[in-house]
Amino acid sequence: MANIITVKNLQAVVDRINTTTASPMDQYTKVNGKLLANIGNYHLSGAYGGYALHQMCTTSGGITDISKSGHVSKRALYDLLHMYLAGYNAGKGETV
């Protein structure tokens, strides 16, 4: 029987990606009563019954879909997240 992937499992890998890439852990920071998006933050997006990895691109909350696969099952995204992290580390000459 395969392990069930939960949102908590996905979030743990996203947190690892943020730590590894030295990206902000929080999506937003409150400055003078206004919420500003933390550029570079990786975070989960849930919609259409699936999940995707997004990254903040602007202080107003603009994002890019890192996986370029749209919203997929938790299992599919879990695998994509690990591939992304492995590719990032390989590009830096490190192993996972």
Side-chain angles (χ1 to χ4, degrees), residues 16 34 41 44 62 68 84:
R16 223 169 112 200
K34 292 184 175 185
N41 165 267
L44 291 174
K68 306 292 188 232
Y84 184 79

Side-chain angles (χ1 to χ4, degrees), residues 71-93:
H71 291 80
V72 297
S73 71
K74 287 181 265 189
R75 168 67 62 193
L77 184 60
Y78 185 79
D79 293 340
L80 287 169
L81 293 176
H82 280 281
M83 285 187 278
Y84 184 79
L85 192 54
Y88 180 86
N89 286 328
K92 294 189 67 140

